[in-house]
Amino acid sequence: MPAKNHDLLTLTDALAELNRARLEKDANASLHAPSTGYGYASTGRIPAERRGRHYFVRRCDLPLIASRLPVGRRRHTSPSAA
């Protein structure tokens, strides 16, 4: 059985990993949006390679990707008058 290449991650898995790391540091942290990640990958703003329908990133590029991707804002809901 061939060995898996653990160096490549799908962009979705990479964003999930980056968001988990942000939440471990601060439970109220803003997160990276998948739609923004895919937009940045398609325009070449973050290093990614496309294979078929999916984008892949190298695990070693995660710090660079985290520094280039903006984080979304948390939406705070106001207490509703019930």
Side-chain angles (χ1 to χ4, degrees), residues 40-57:
Y40 274 45
S42 69
T43 59
R45 293 166 120 182
I46 60 172
E49 47 184 272
R50 187 169 183 164
R51 295 184 182 178
R53 298 174 49 198
H54 302 283
Y55 284 97
F56 290 86
V57 297

Side-chain angles (χ1 to χ4, degrees), residues 11-64:
L11 183 56
T12 305
D13 291 341
L15 292 173
E17 190 171 312
L18 291 172
N19 286 336
R20 271 193 303 274
R22 288 183 63 80
L23 289 173
E24 284 177 5
K25 292 178 184 175
D26 179 10
N28 294 318
S30 298
L31 304 177
H32 301 289
S35 58
T36 304
Y38 276 92
Y40 274 45
S42 69
T43 59
R45 293 166 120 182
I46 60 172
E49 47 184 272
R50 187 169 183 164
R51 295 184 182 178
R53 298 174 49 198
H54 302 283
Y55 284 97
F56 290 86
V57 297
R58 298 201 180 282
R59 186 174 293 281
C60 61
D61 288 335
L62 287 180
L64 175 67

